[in-house]
Every structure is written in C-alpha cells, then in structure tokens.
Amino acid sequence: MSLNVNRNVNDQFYRYKMPKLIAKVEGKGNGIKTVIVNMVEVAKSLSRPPTYPTKFFGCELGAQTQFDLKNERFIVNGSHDSAKLQELLHIFINKFVLCPNCENPETSLNVNTKAQTIKQHCMACGYHGQLELRHKLTTYIIRNPPGSEQVGGATPSKKDLKKGKRKEKDSRSSPEANGHHETKEEPEKVEAPALNNNHADEEDDDDWGDLDESAVKARMNELSSAAQKLAIDDDLEKSSEERMEIFYNFVKTKMSQGNVANADKDILGEADRLEVKEKATMVLVELLLSEKVLVEVKEYRKIFLRFTNENPKAQRYLLHGLEQLAGVKYSSTLLPKVPHILKTFYDLDIVEEEVILDWASKVSKRYVPKAVSQEIRDKASPFIKWLKEAEEEEDSDSDEDDDDAEDGVEVVYSKDARQIETKTIKPAVPAATKIQASNDDDEEEDFDIDAI
C-alpha cells in the first residue's frame, strides 16, 4: 500500500508516494524490540538515509536504536506498533523532508561540519535555507552527513572503515588489482557527497560575502546559537564550574533580550538541564540584584521562588550570594541594610526561618572572608533576635492554647448557621477554693495601680 509523502495532499494522483511503514515486534521482556521491515524502501522514497528516520523514532520515543548493516535491519528498542511509528514518520517528513516554502519533498540536505549547520535546498522551487537545530536528530545528521553511509544508508563502523582503507591500499600497490577492480569499485566511491559538502562550503562562503555590519552580526549570532544547541548533549559531561558558567551566560542572554522577569520557566529549565538548580541561586543574586535589592527582589520574586520553594539547599546558596552582594560588591551601601534585606526575603517566602537561623549560627569563610562573614551576621543580629523572639512568643501562645484546651470549649451553632458562639466549660471548683478565690478578688480590688 502506498501513501502520499505529504499527507496534507489528498490527490490520489500525487506523484510523491512512499510505502506504508511495516513494523514487527520481536523478543520478550527486556529484550523486546521493534524491527522496521521496509525502512530502506521508505527512506529511498524520501531521499534520506534510513538511519535518519530510525534515529528520529529513537529520539521521540526515548529508546535506543540499532542498525544491522549486513542485513539492512533497522531496530528501535521496545514494543511499538506500526500506526505510532507511521505518525512519527509524518512528523519527521514535515521537519526534515518537506520544503518549508512549497511543501514539496524534492529537497536535499547540505551539511557544513565546520560551521555546524544544515542547509536545506529545494529543487522544485529553489528554496535555500538553514534547518532549525532544535531537535536532537540534527546533532546526528551533522556527525553523519548524507552520503557518508554505506550499506542501507547506515553509518559505517570503524572496522568497516579500516577494511576500506586496506582495500584501497592494496588496489594502489597491485597493478593487476587496479586493472580489474577499478571500474567495479568506482561506483561505490563517495565522490558525490564530497562534492555536496564542498558545494555547501562554497554556498556558505557566498553568504559571507555580505560584509555589512548588521549582516555579519546576524550570521555570528546564528552560528553561536547553532553551536550552543549542538553542545547540549555534551554539557552534562562538563565540570560543575563549567556548567555554572553556561547557566550564567544563559541568564545574561535572557537579560539582554529584556523581560527576564517572565522568563522564570526557561531559566529553571536550563538549571534543571545542567543539574545546577541549588547553586543557581548564587548566579541569580549576582545578575539580577544590585544596590536596589529591596526593590529588585520583589520584581524577580517569581524567579527566586522557582528555585527556593521547599528547597533549603537552594535557600542557603542564596544567602551565600547575598553575603557576596552585601559584604563585598556593595558593602558601603548594603551592609547597614542587611536586616532589612533578610526580612524582605523572609516576608516574600523566598527564604524560610529555619534556614536563616541555621545560616546565622555558623560563620563561614567559603564565599567571603571570615571577617566579612562575621560582620554580616553582626549586622543581621537585630533581625535574628526578632525571629527568635517571635518563635518564643509562638511557643508561649501554643502553651496558653493548651491550657485553654484543658478548660474545654463548647461550640454552639445558631439556628440559621450564620453565627458561631463558643462557651468555655470550666471544671468544677471545690467550695474552699471558691472562698479563697473570692478573698483574692477582694484583695485585688484594694490594689492601687497608680502605686506601681
């Protein structure tokens, strides 16, 4: 059964057809896998290597893929039915096959590995533009450009490459072999892809012919953006300091674009991706806050809450960031305001009481000099004292509530259920005690409050 390559076209005489994808599930338990039986035929109809759609399936399904070059078997781990894979194939076609201008599948991909870009050229309408590099598959395409594949369009292994080099060397050293094999092996040489890549380089050189300052700046931004997207997979292999630097540059870029206060989800997402969510609060303090911290923290409250809500570790790093801000960067203006700064963060629910008290109890020289750390805590002492007293008052109030509870409280509901009355039920008091209490009351009546 044949399908239209562009499923949005309903014309039965549409000339761009492809076979319906056939998937076969094999194995059981942890070894279950889905073999795409006719992937080679499907890929040929799309003018793409069969590894590209197979790898795309793996990216979308979060599954590993395998390429059996000898038997032309293309495998996706797990159990997946044909209908699901066919739907994903249409998404692949829209992203990597159809021309964005005329929606025609007569396109080719030109990879410039030096510039880390993929350009799409349409032979039907002449469209020429750069492919978006947001999808993970683009990383694979750049590493395995069209034409670099061998059997079934799959990427050759190192062993296959070594065999090829040995054969080429033998053919050069043996005149007899040259005479017999040269014409036979020539069709297998990958001359066309090499020309394609060179052509892509030439096209890029032509693009750089425009030396207008704005054009040059736009191209540089385009390349830096592409390189940044391609490096995503390798970021987690970097050290903590390098990942923090990447996050720092990301937030800085968001600030330069304006309206950073509403980019809280993007900023949190980048921190989660780089696995630096806790330490990221120090970067946020450094970039978002200044001498006007009491005003700025209210503006960026939503961003800080994304990181510190129910996360004591992130709150502690935030306090260390405030130490650097108030004790080093703006010490002359912010040191006297330390109690107000802490109270603002506390009132806005960015930092919890327990974290502040724990921070205040330990002088640390890890992020600022020890003398500065001590001075900051000395300045903060009025607020710390206020916190402790408030905590003690809460404890005493809870004790009084317990005493009241011992007397007992009866809740009385009115008939219309709009008013609630409470009656305190006191335990029975012995008569002797009542007499003593009466005498005490008489004595209290003779007490002169002005004599205090």
Side-chain angles (χ1 to χ4, degrees):
M1 180 179 177
S2 296
L3 302 174
N4 290 344
V5 172
N6 186 352
R7 67 174 174 179
N8 295 326
V9 177
N10 298 320
D11 185 3
Q12 61 178 339
F13 300 107
Y14 184 64
R15 61 174 177 156
Y16 301 107
K17 301 284 186 179
M18 66 177 180
K20 187 175 181 180
L21 192 143
I22 302 172
K24 181 182 178 183
V25 178
E26 297 181 356
K28 293 181 180 180
N30 293 333
I32 196 168
K33 58 189 176 182
T34 303
V35 180
I36 305 168
V37 179
N38 61 337
M39 179 53 82
V40 174
E41 291 76 15
V42 172
K44 281 181 181 178
S45 64
L46 302 178
S47 299
R48 295 291 183 271
T51 51
Y52 287 8
T54 309
K55 197 73 178 175
F56 180 84
F57 294 159
C59 293
E60 291 294 310
L61 297 170
Q64 292 184 346
T65 54
Q66 304 172 39
F67 311 134
D68 186 345
L69 308 183
K70 185 176 181 180
N71 300 308
E72 296 187 354
R73 280 162 55 91
F74 298 88
I75 301 167
V76 181
N77 284 5
S79 176
H80 311 287
D81 57 30
S82 299
K84 181 194 286 187
L85 295 176
Q86 187 70 57
E87 185 67 25
L88 291 176
L89 182 63
H90 285 303
I91 297 174
F92 169 82
I93 292 170
N94 287 331
K95 286 180 177 290
F96 297 97
V97 178
L98 297 181
C99 171
N101 185 42
C102 67
E103 296 188 347
N104 194 301
E106 289 190 25
T107 61
S108 61
L109 300 180
N110 296 319
V111 177
N112 187 338
T113 53
K114 186 177 180 181
Q116 299 284 287
T117 57
I118 305 172
K119 290 199 171 181
Q120 190 177 37
H121 177 67
C122 179
M123 292 172 281
C125 69
Y127 169 82
H128 186 81
Q130 183 168 306
L131 204 67
E132 287 189 3
L133 301 175
R134 296 178 182 176
H135 201 277
K136 289 182 179 179
L137 179 64
T138 56
T139 304
Y140 179 82
I141 293 175
I142 289 175
R143 293 175 180 172
N144 305 272
S148 64
E149 296 80 6
Q150 287 185 339
V151 181
T155 307
S157 64
K158 293 182 179 179
K159 188 176 181 181
D160 294 330
L161 292 175
K162 287 181 180 178
K163 286 181 180 178
K165 288 181 180 178
R166 279 200 295 270
K167 285 183 181 179
E168 186 179 353
K169 187 175 181 181
D170 293 341
S171 65
R172 289 178 182 175
S173 60
S174 173
E176 193 175 18
N178 273 335
H180 180 69
H181 294 291
E182 193 170 50
T183 55
K184 186 176 180 181
E185 292 186 356
E186 189 166 350
E188 296 182 7
K189 291 182 179 180
V190 287
E191 295 292 336
L195 289 173
N196 275 341
N197 287 337
N198 291 338
H199 180 59
D201 291 338
E202 289 173 6
E203 289 171 343
D204 287 337
D205 291 340
D206 291 340
D207 289 343
W208 282 88
D210 186 359
L211 298 178
D212 179 67
E213 185 178 352
S214 60
V216 171
K217 186 175 180 181
R219 285 192 295 270
M220 288 301 294
N221 289 336
E222 184 179 324
L223 289 179
S224 62
S225 175
Q228 184 179 4
K229 288 172 184 174
L230 288 170
I232 284 177
D233 293 336
D234 300 326
D235 285 344
L236 291 179
E237 298 177 6
K238 297 178 180 178
S239 67
S240 175
E241 290 75 13
E242 290 174 319
R243 284 182 278 127
M244 286 287 286
E245 186 67 25
I246 293 172
F247 179 73
Y248 177 93
N249 292 328
F250 179 85
V251 178
K252 204 167 184 181
T253 301
K254 287 291 182 184
M255 292 178 67
S256 65
Q257 293 171 354
N259 200 22
V260 68
N262 293 324
D264 51 303
K265 291 183 180 178
D266 293 338
I267 294 173
L268 177 64
E270 180 69 359
D272 281 333
R273 183 185 72 81
L274 295 169
E275 297 181 358
V276 295
K277 183 178 177 180
E278 284 78 17
K279 287 187 177 181
T281 51
M282 294 185 69
V283 172
L284 297 178
V285 170
E286 181 179 354
L287 290 177
L288 301 180
L289 305 180
S290 66
E291 292 176 290
K292 300 177 181 178
V293 56
L294 295 174
V295 176
E296 292 163 339
V297 67
K298 296 175 183 177
E299 180 182 356
Y300 301 122
R301 177 176 182 258
K302 189 165 62 171
I303 297 178
F304 284 108
L305 282 175
R306 289 279 183 190
F307 289 82
T308 63
N309 185 38
E310 297 183 356
N311 190 339
K313 198 170 182 181
Q315 295 175 31
R316 282 195 293 270
Y317 278 113
L318 184 143
L319 291 174
H320 292 314
L322 290 178
E323 286 185 77
Q324 294 177 336
L325 186 76
V328 178
K329 197 171 181 180
Y330 302 109
S331 58
S332 59
T333 54
L334 294 186
L335 261 178
K337 298 179 181 178
V338 166
H340 304 287
I341 295 171
L342 291 175
K343 188 174 187 303
T344 302
F345 276 86
Y346 172 75
D347 289 340
L348 294 175
D349 297 322
I350 296 173
V351 185
E352 297 171 2
E353 176 183 345
E354 293 79 6
V355 177
I356 296 175
L357 293 175
D358 181 64
W359 165 83
S361 65
K362 302 171 186 175
V363 177
S364 173
K365 60 179 180 179
R366 186 171 181 182
Y367 300 100
V368 294
K370 191 171 183 179
V372 175
S373 180
Q374 183 62 60
E375 186 177 6
I376 290 173
R377 283 158 177 77
D378 292 341
K379 295 288 185 183
S381 59
F383 174 68
I384 303 301
K385 183 180 178 182
W386 177 83
L387 268 184
K388 290 179 178 178
E389 290 176 351
E391 187 178 13
E392 290 173 359
E393 286 178 5
E394 287 180 2
D395 292 339
S396 63
D397 289 341
S398 64
D399 292 340
E400 290 177 4
D401 292 339
D402 292 340
D403 293 339
D404 293 338
E406 291 177 2
D407 293 338
V409 176
E410 179 184 2
V411 180
V412 181
Y413 295 90
S414 64
K415 292 182 180 180
D416 59 359
R418 293 181 183 176
Q419 295 179 351
I420 300 175
E421 299 176 359
T422 60
K423 294 182 179 180
T424 302
I425 304 173
K426 295 188 181 249
V429 182
T433 307
K434 288 182 178 179
I435 294 171
Q436 181 64 36
S438 176
N439 294 334
D440 291 341
D441 292 339
D442 293 338
E443 291 178 3
E444 287 181 0
E445 288 177 2
D446 296 333
F447 188 83
D448 186 3
I449 194 170
D450 294 328
I452 295 177

